[in-house]
Each structure stands twice: as C-alpha cells, then as structure tokens.
Amino acid sequence: MTSVLDKTTAVKAPGHGDAFTSHLYSLRYSPDLGWHDGGLQPLADLSLHPATLGLHYGQVIFEGMKAFRQQDGSVAVFRPWENARRFNRSGARLAMPELPEHLYVEGVDAVVAADHGELSDDPDHSLYLRPLMFGTDANLMLRPSEEYLFLVMAFVAGGFFGDVVRPVSVLVSRDQARAMPGGTGDVKCAANYGPSFVAQRRAQQAGCQQVVWLDSAERRWVEEMGGMNLFFVRGNGPGAEVFTTPLTGTLLPGVTRDSLMRVAARLGYRVAERPVSVDEWRAGCEAGEITEVFACGTAAVVTPVGHVKDVEGDFTVGDGEMGPVTRTLREALVDLQRGRVADVDGWLH
Ligand code: PMP
C-alpha cells in the first residue's frame, strides 16, 4: 500500500482523491472553550471512539475548493470565502456550531502554505482542498454532538474525468431521487452522497460517466448532475442564451455555477435561471435549439455533456462534441483561476 506521505504519488499520478499532501489542519470545538487547539500536523490516522456521534447519525459536513498555480509561481485558492459561507449554511442545517469564516480560511491557508510545494506546475494539476467537520461526542443519544472536529486536508488533482476534456454521457435517474423539498439537497453534508452511489453505479453500468438527478415530486425537472451543476445553451454564436436550473432548495448552489453565470454575462451571453424538464431537453436537442449542455463544479471545472440515456429515449446534445460556448466559458474560467487574466472580481485568495 502506498503511504499517504509518499510525495511521488502526489506529484506523478494524481487521480481524484488519493494523492494526499503531507499535512492536516485540525481545530476543535467544545461548548466551554469554543473553537480551540487549531494547528497543523503531519497527515496521519485519526483515533476515534467507536461511538463517535457523527459516524452514527451523519452529523458530517464538508467542502471542496481548489488552489491553482499562478503565472508568477505563487498559489491562489479560488473563492474560499464563498465555500466558508456554504460550510456554515451546511452546519446550520445539521445543528452544528458556526465556524467563523476567518477560521475556516485560516485552516485552508495553513495547509496551502505548508504543502503548495507538492503541486507541480503542470497546468492540468491543482491542489484540491477538503475541509470536513463532524460531531465527535462519544455518545449514542440521538441528539446533536456537543463537541466537533474541523479538519482540512488536500490532495493533488488532475482532471476529474482524466486530463483530456471529453464529453461525458449521462443517465437520467428516474427511480432514485437525490433530494426532496425541505431536505438537505442545498447543503453539502455527507449524507447526500452515500445514497447517490447506487444510481451512479447504474449510470456506469449503462456506459455513462454520470447520473442526472430530477426533482423528487414529479420526476420531470432537471436538478443537477452527480456532484456538478448543469448549464444549457440555446442558440449559437454571441447571441446564445446560457441557462441553468434555478436554486429550488433541492440542489447545491455551486460556486462554479455562480462564477460561470457572471463570466458568461460579462462575455455578452444572455444568462438565465429557469426550470428545464427532460422532455424539453430532449425536444430542444432534437430540434437543434439546445445546442450545448455542460456540467460544472470544482472537481469537473466545465465538462461537456455529449449523450443522454433515459428510459423515455436517448438523445445526443449537438454533435456530441464540446461546443464553442462551452469551450469559451471553460477557457475563461480556467484563465481566471490560474491568474492568466485580471482578477477583477477579487476571486483569488
Ligand atoms: N452539486 C453537488 C451535489 C456537488 O457536490 C457539487 C460540488 N461541491 C456541485 C454541485 C458543484 O459545486 P461547486 O461548484 O461549488 O464545486
């Protein structure tokens, strides 16, 4: 087994989620002391009581951000304050204490400062940062934990779907739903992800890379895709409309989604948030009106969707290849993240 501290793993072969860097930041919470004992240590196993409350009752939240090598050789994290805010929204939903945003960012900064040297200057690589927080009480009463552990770890990431950007195929999940109104679909808690694995596995068995989630009531409205938000392009050229599904409370408000809406508007596209059903998606593609579809997220950046499999009929988006609007937006975002263009929004930290 490769040691987590084997740097050659980190530098040579980043998959997604195993090329860990050398350090772990941790910070504890207790009602008496508040947040305390923050510090960096070598990445190592944790010692946990078997009754650790978070493990049993799912009081676990996490985040995902990336740091990118900049043109001048420095490393910058993309929009960490947005993730800090989302982290606290997730925590509030799970009855967890608030983590002041500056403490969240301090933890992220500590790991980046210690481990940025493990990120090569390969332009396809980045440092994926994973903050995590869970209830640590050794107690099985069905109630919120009183004590918590906040951790930040990192791994070197290549492309989520491999280093070359190729369109993905997706399977529409008709029977299993990801989230319901009043549930936790709009926050980033661990409990949203385990239950998605069966549908994800089915997608893979059907020859697809990802699953598309629909609303849980009508099983008609497109919500999001795996761990990514979805965008649709109507029309061609500079007058094209770029739209994404609205934040109904049952999908995650992606930081990449928000960034792309702003970038697209700045590039002159018409940008909208509106519901789209699978039927409208299929009919739009068949009529040539919906010309491109892409998924976006921290891990996947911008990834074109080429083919859609669905029990009510498969279809292809455009010619099944990456379209010009997707390519333009992908390049614009990557240029921003890597400091190749002016950071007019102050998104780089
Ligand atoms: N939806 C889900 C369910 C996710 O897990 C993620 C990844 N955090 C996203 C969308 C994309 O969010 P972001 O752009 O903030 O990475």
Side-chain angles (χ1 to χ4, degrees):
M1 202 176 119
T2 315
S3 156
V4 291
L5 303 180
D6 179 356
K7 289 186 194 164
T8 55
T9 310
V11 175
K12 278 190 188 153
H16 191 83
D18 51 8
F20 294 105
T21 63
S22 307
H23 290 91
L24 175 73
Y25 178 85
S26 70
L27 178 66
R28 294 196 166 273
Y29 178 88
S30 68
D32 300 346
L33 299 173
W35 290 104
H36 64 282
D37 258 0
L40 202 64
Q41 61 252 8
L43 182 69
D45 293 350
L46 299 176
S47 168
L48 295 173
H49 193 285
T52 295
L53 192 145
L55 287 180
H56 293 260
Y57 304 136
Q59 219 187 5
V60 183
I61 59 170
F62 67 101
E63 265 304 331
M65 290 160 297
K66 275 181 178 170
F68 300 92
R69 177 81 59 205
Q70 305 293 294
Q71 295 305 96
D72 63 2
S74 65
V75 170
V77 186
F78 189 67
R79 304 190 73 182
W81 298 97
E82 283 304 309
N83 295 79
R85 274 192 278 281
R86 187 168 72 190
F87 195 65
N88 274 323
R89 284 202 302 274
S90 303
R93 181 65 182 81
L94 270 73
M96 291 169 142
E98 183 178 346
L99 173 66
E101 287 165 21
H102 74 274
L103 292 182
Y104 174 101
V105 175
E106 259 174 51
V108 169
D109 285 352
V111 173
V112 175
D115 290 350
H116 69 87
E118 294 169 48
L119 175 65
S120 73
D121 48 17
D122 184 324
D124 288 326
H125 293 180
S126 54
L127 201 58
Y128 182 98
L129 296 150
R130 168 53 58 86
L132 173 79
M133 175 175 156
F134 59 95
T136 53
D137 285 8
N139 191 313
L140 292 182
M141 279 287 284
L142 198 51
R143 53 136 179 93
S145 187
E146 291 182 347
E147 301 194 343
Y148 293 85
L149 184 59
F150 170 67
L151 300 173
V152 185
M153 67 203 86
F155 60 84
V156 176
F160 187 65
F161 296 107
D163 279 345
V164 182
V165 187
R166 279 194 217 93
V168 294
S169 300
V170 298
L171 177 71
V172 177
S173 176
R174 289 281 184 172
D175 57 343
Q176 293 197 347
R178 174 183 173 275
M180 66 200 173
T184 57
D186 61 345
V187 300
K188 208 162 165 60
C189 58
N192 285 347
Y193 294 84
S196 74
F197 293 158
V198 169
Q200 177 61 34
R201 192 160 59 196
R202 282 187 195 153
Q204 273 153 357
Q205 284 163 348
C208 299
Q209 285 89 349
Q210 281 289 323
V211 57
V212 169
W213 298 112
L214 305 181
D215 74 291
S216 62
E218 294 183 67
R219 302 294 165 90
R220 179 173 168 218
W221 303 103
V222 176
E223 300 224 305
E224 57 182 331
M225 184 184 115
M228 288 148 244
N229 294 114
L230 277 169
F231 277 84
F232 300 79
V233 180
R234 193 180 283 281
N236 293 294
E241 183 194 41
V242 176
F243 65 99
T244 185
T245 56
L247 299 176
T248 52
T250 47
L251 57 135
L252 194 77
V255 176
T256 319
R257 173 187 182 278
D258 179 77
S259 308
L260 284 170
M261 289 205 316
R262 298 202 211 183
V263 167
R266 204 147 57 214
L267 289 172
Y269 296 110
R270 284 178 295 134
V271 177
E273 289 176 270
R274 52 190 175 78
V276 53
S277 65
V278 187
D279 290 344
E280 184 191 339
W281 183 3
R282 183 188 302 102
C285 287
E286 284 169 357
E289 286 160 9
I290 292 179
T291 49
E292 303 177 35
V293 175
F294 62 87
C296 71
T298 297
V301 193
V302 170
T303 299
V305 176
H307 298 279
V308 182
K309 278 201 170 182
D310 178 39
V311 286
E312 297 193 3
D314 301 351
F315 55 100
T316 299
V317 181
D319 60 2
E321 295 301 324
M322 172 149 50
V325 177
T326 304
R327 187 181 303 278
T328 302
L329 289 173
R330 183 184 164 91
E331 284 171 5
L333 181 67
V334 169
D335 283 349
L336 263 168
Q337 290 174 329
R338 298 188 180 270
R340 294 179 195 141
V341 293
D343 178 23
V344 289
D345 301 287
W347 284 347
L348 295 176
H349 169 82

